[in-house]
Amino acid sequence: MKHCHKIIALLSLSLSLVLMSCSGSSQKKKTEKTYVLYDINADHTGLATEEYYPKSKDRSKMTDEILDLLGDKTEKSDMTRPIPNGVNVQDTLYDKESGNLTVSFTRSYMTVTGTDETLMRAAIVKTLLQVKGVKTVTFQVDHTDLVSASGISGRMMDDNTFVMSMAGKDSPVQSADITLYYPDRDGTRLHKVKKKVTYSSNIHIARVVIDYLKKNPEVKNARPALPSGIQVSSLAVADGVCYVNFDSDISSKNNDVTEEACVYSIVDSLTDLYGINRVQISENGSNLSLRGHEGTLFEKNDTNVINK
């Protein structure tokens, strides 16, 4: 009988130890910090996230681990890793005093342009900012400071540098006052229209503006700026520049509106938004330009606005 009690006691002790071990493991899992990897969403219009648990908490090793993962080309149906094939990281340099992390890429980085480059930059920066001690990130190409579309060289980028749509996030409704510029009946001048809109908070307000420019304006003698069937392939904002890429020619199906009126309907409407100073418009990935206008970055121009 005593022998039986001893066996029961040993079994109870073993079970307790197993339960304590499981509890400790579960507790560790709960208290372990969750990091996220930022990827480019499937249709290249914004960013998507996935949970990530680093193998090392050492800053240098964690940085290398993140950059390796962001260049991993394992196929995923709902997202794309931000560092494309052929673009490699040369090295990184961390400045402890400022908290800035410099990442130098090979020259092939310069083959990535437009919204793809902006999304790539945003995904990498937002992921690296989770590394302890990293407050800002600077990009270099072959150890020379990268010059952004806004002309800024060696910019220290942080979370506030990028504004764009996020996939997989809760989306409460919010409201905003926007100003829209619609072409007049002749398709040459612009009507200024103020409007209060409600929209999902995981959608950038610039995309909301574009959507409204396709609708019939609630004002006499005005017409939509864009054909209803045109779609935004990608949209991102960085360094005060809004990059918007359409899936087709913005004026080909809207022959009653001049290309100049169409362009400045978009530009004037977008630059009225906070944080946007210039706009780059692309059609199927090719940057749009206007005769008589130097370059492909457009600033606000209210010369043809009827009711200023």
Side-chain angles (χ1 to χ4, degrees):
M1 191 69 175
K2 288 182 178 180
H3 182 66
C4 188
H5 283 311
K6 286 182 179 180
I7 293 174
I8 292 172
L10 286 170
L11 287 172
S12 297
L13 179 60
S14 298
L15 181 60
S16 297
L17 289 172
V18 169
L19 290 172
M20 286 174 64
S21 174
C22 290
S23 174
S25 175
S26 174
Q27 187 66 27
K28 183 180 178 182
K29 189 77 173 178
K30 286 180 180 178
T31 57
E32 188 175 2
K33 180 181 176 181
T34 303
Y35 294 80
V36 294
L37 292 177
Y38 285 85
D39 299 299
I40 300 173
N41 65 17
D43 55 1
H44 285 235
T45 58
L47 301 182
T49 61
E50 58 179 311
E51 288 189 354
Y52 157 62
Y53 294 94
K55 294 178 181 178
S56 174
K57 296 298 171 64
D58 174 78
R59 184 184 59 251
S60 179
K61 290 180 180 178
M62 188 174 171
T63 297
D64 292 341
E65 185 182 333
I66 285 173
L67 291 170
D68 285 342
L69 285 170
L70 294 181
D72 178 27
K73 290 300 163 284
T74 303
E75 288 191 14
K76 291 178 176 288
S77 60
D78 57 343
M79 60 185 70
T80 303
R81 295 294 195 206
I83 303 179
N85 285 324
V87 177
N88 299 304
V89 176
Q90 291 177 319
D91 52 47
T92 61
L93 179 65
Y94 176 71
D95 181 66
K96 188 175 181 180
E97 186 175 343
S98 66
N100 182 67
L101 176 69
T102 300
V103 183
S104 183
F105 294 89
T106 53
R107 292 186 182 181
S108 51
Y109 181 101
M110 301 308 293
T111 62
V112 189
T113 58
T115 49
D116 278 346
E117 190 275 335
T118 305
L119 291 170
M120 170 186 172
R121 200 154 34 106
I124 296 170
V125 170
K126 289 171 82 67
T127 305
L128 288 174
L129 287 173
Q130 298 170 91
V131 178
K132 187 176 181 180
V134 176
K135 297 177 181 177
T136 56
V137 180
T138 299
F139 277 18
Q140 291 187 338
V141 175
D142 199 16
H143 299 102
T144 300
D145 287 344
L146 176 70
V147 179
S148 69
S150 60
I152 301 174
S153 174
R155 180 185 177 94
M156 293 183 180
M157 298 171 283
D158 59 19
D159 242 340
N160 297 317
T161 305
F162 306 96
V163 185
M164 56 195 61
S165 302
M166 287 294 300
K169 296 288 186 181
D170 294 333
S171 52
V173 172
Q174 59 186 19
S175 62
D177 293 311
I178 60 175
T179 303
L180 302 165
Y181 293 82
Y182 289 102
D184 67 355
R185 181 166 289 181
D186 295 331
T188 57
R189 303 186 70 192
L190 301 175
H191 283 283
K192 181 178 179 180
V193 180
K194 292 185 177 293
K195 189 173 186 64
K196 190 175 189 68
V197 298
T198 56
Y199 61 100
S200 172
S201 61
N202 71 340
I203 298 174
H204 192 279
I205 186 64
R207 185 177 287 272
V208 178
V209 165
I210 297 294
D211 286 342
Y212 270 95
L213 291 177
K214 295 191 288 182
K215 298 179 180 180
N216 286 315
E218 298 171 0
V219 61
K220 190 178 180 181
N221 295 327
R223 62 175 69 231
L226 295 165
S228 59
I230 199 167
Q231 299 297 322
V232 174
S233 299
S234 58
L235 185 149
V237 178
D239 305 324
V241 179
C242 180
Y243 303 87
V244 55
N245 181 29
F246 293 96
D247 65 353
S248 59
D249 189 328
I250 62 173
S251 57
S252 62
K253 299 176 183 177
N254 206 11
N255 295 326
D256 293 332
V257 177
T258 66
E259 186 178 37
E260 183 178 5
C262 187
V263 166
Y264 281 105
S265 172
I266 298 167
V267 173
D268 289 356
S269 298
L270 290 177
T271 53
D272 259 10
L273 298 174
Y274 176 78
I276 298 179
N277 304 313
R278 289 189 281 180
V279 178
Q280 184 179 81
I281 300 170
S282 304
E283 299 166 327
N284 282 319
S286 298
N287 294 339
L288 181 148
S289 59
L290 281 180
R291 182 177 295 178
H293 181 277
E294 186 177 345
T296 59
L297 286 176
F298 295 91
E299 296 180 348
K300 189 176 186 66
N301 180 356
D302 60 2
T303 305
N304 291 324
V305 176
I306 296 170
N307 46 343
K308 297 180 185 180

Short mmCIF file of all heavy atoms in Angstrom, two decimals, residues 40-46 78 80 119 207 232-234:
data_model
loop_
_atom_site.label_atom_id
_atom_site.label_comp_id
_atom_site.label_asym_id
_atom_site.label_seq_id
_atom_site.Cartn_x
_atom_site.Cartn_y
_atom_site.Cartn_z
N ILE A 40 5.04 44.38 -49.22
CA ILE A 40 4.22 45.10 -50.18
C ILE A 40 3.00 44.23 -50.48
O ILE A 40 3.14 43.03 -50.74
CB ILE A 40 5.01 45.40 -51.47
CG1 ILE A 40 6.23 46.27 -51.14
CG2 ILE A 40 4.13 46.10 -52.50
CD1 ILE A 40 7.17 46.50 -52.31
N ASN A 41 1.80 44.80 -50.43
CA ASN A 41 0.61 43.99 -50.64
C ASN A 41 0.52 43.48 -52.08
O ASN A 41 1.27 43.91 -52.96
CB ASN A 41 -0.67 44.72 -50.21
CG ASN A 41 -0.96 45.95 -51.05
OD1 ASN A 41 -0.42 46.13 -52.13
ND2 ASN A 41 -1.83 46.82 -50.56
N ALA A 42 -0.40 42.54 -52.31
CA ALA A 42 -0.47 41.81 -53.57
C ALA A 42 -0.61 42.70 -54.80
O ALA A 42 -0.01 42.45 -55.84
CB ALA A 42 -1.60 40.79 -53.52
N ASP A 43 -1.41 43.77 -54.68
CA ASP A 43 -1.63 44.63 -55.85
C ASP A 43 -0.75 45.87 -55.87
O ASP A 43 -0.97 46.80 -56.65
CB ASP A 43 -3.10 45.03 -55.97
CG ASP A 43 -3.62 45.69 -54.69
OD1 ASP A 43 -2.83 45.86 -53.75
OD2 ASP A 43 -4.82 46.02 -54.64
N HIS A 44 0.27 45.89 -55.00
CA HIS A 44 1.26 46.98 -54.97
C HIS A 44 0.62 48.35 -54.78
O HIS A 44 1.02 49.34 -55.39
CB HIS A 44 2.10 46.97 -56.25
CG HIS A 44 3.14 45.88 -56.27
ND1 HIS A 44 4.47 46.10 -56.47
CD2 HIS A 44 3.01 44.54 -56.08
CE1 HIS A 44 5.13 44.96 -56.42
NE2 HIS A 44 4.26 44.00 -56.18
N THR A 45 -0.36 48.41 -53.88
CA THR A 45 -1.01 49.70 -53.58
C THR A 45 -0.70 50.16 -52.16
O THR A 45 -1.06 51.27 -51.78
CB THR A 45 -2.53 49.59 -53.74
OG1 THR A 45 -3.03 48.56 -52.88
CG2 THR A 45 -2.90 49.28 -55.18
N GLY A 46 -0.06 49.34 -51.36
CA GLY A 46 0.23 49.69 -49.97
C GLY A 46 1.05 48.60 -49.31
O GLY A 46 1.68 47.78 -49.99
N ASP A 78 -0.39 36.68 -51.05
CA ASP A 78 -1.01 37.93 -50.61
C ASP A 78 -0.04 39.06 -50.36
O ASP A 78 -0.44 40.14 -49.93
CB ASP A 78 -1.83 37.67 -49.35
CG ASP A 78 -0.99 37.07 -48.22
OD1 ASP A 78 0.12 36.57 -48.51
OD2 ASP A 78 -1.43 37.11 -47.06
N THR A 80 4.37 40.66 -51.25
CA THR A 80 5.67 40.54 -51.90
C THR A 80 6.73 41.12 -50.99
O THR A 80 6.54 42.19 -50.42
CB THR A 80 5.68 41.32 -53.24
OG1 THR A 80 4.63 40.84 -54.07
CG2 THR A 80 7.00 41.16 -53.95
N LEU A 119 7.29 52.23 -51.90
CA LEU A 119 6.78 51.14 -51.07
C LEU A 119 7.91 50.30 -50.51
O LEU A 119 7.88 49.89 -49.34
CB LEU A 119 5.84 50.26 -51.90
CG LEU A 119 4.50 50.89 -52.30
CD1 LEU A 119 3.78 50.00 -53.31
CD2 LEU A 119 3.62 51.12 -51.08
N ARG A 207 -6.30 58.57 -52.12
CA ARG A 207 -7.06 57.63 -52.95
C ARG A 207 -8.55 58.01 -52.96
O ARG A 207 -9.24 57.86 -53.98
CB ARG A 207 -6.88 56.20 -52.41
CG ARG A 207 -7.54 55.14 -53.28
CD ARG A 207 -7.24 53.76 -52.72
NE ARG A 207 -5.87 53.40 -52.98
CZ ARG A 207 -5.46 52.80 -54.10
NH1 ARG A 207 -6.33 52.52 -55.05
NH2 ARG A 207 -4.20 52.48 -54.28
N VAL A 232 -6.58 53.01 -60.07
CA VAL A 232 -5.27 53.34 -59.49
C VAL A 232 -4.52 52.04 -59.25
O VAL A 232 -4.96 51.20 -58.47
CB VAL A 232 -5.42 54.12 -58.17
CG1 VAL A 232 -4.05 54.33 -57.53
CG2 VAL A 232 -6.09 55.46 -58.42
N SER A 233 -3.40 51.85 -59.93
CA SER A 233 -2.60 50.64 -59.75
C SER A 233 -1.81 50.70 -58.45
O SER A 233 -1.63 49.70 -57.77
CB SER A 233 -1.64 50.45 -60.93
OG SER A 233 -2.36 50.30 -62.13
N SER A 234 -1.31 51.88 -58.12
CA SER A 234 -0.57 52.04 -56.87
C SER A 234 -0.57 53.51 -56.47
O SER A 234 -0.67 54.40 -57.33
CB SER A 234 0.86 51.53 -57.00
OG SER A 234 1.54 52.20 -58.04
#
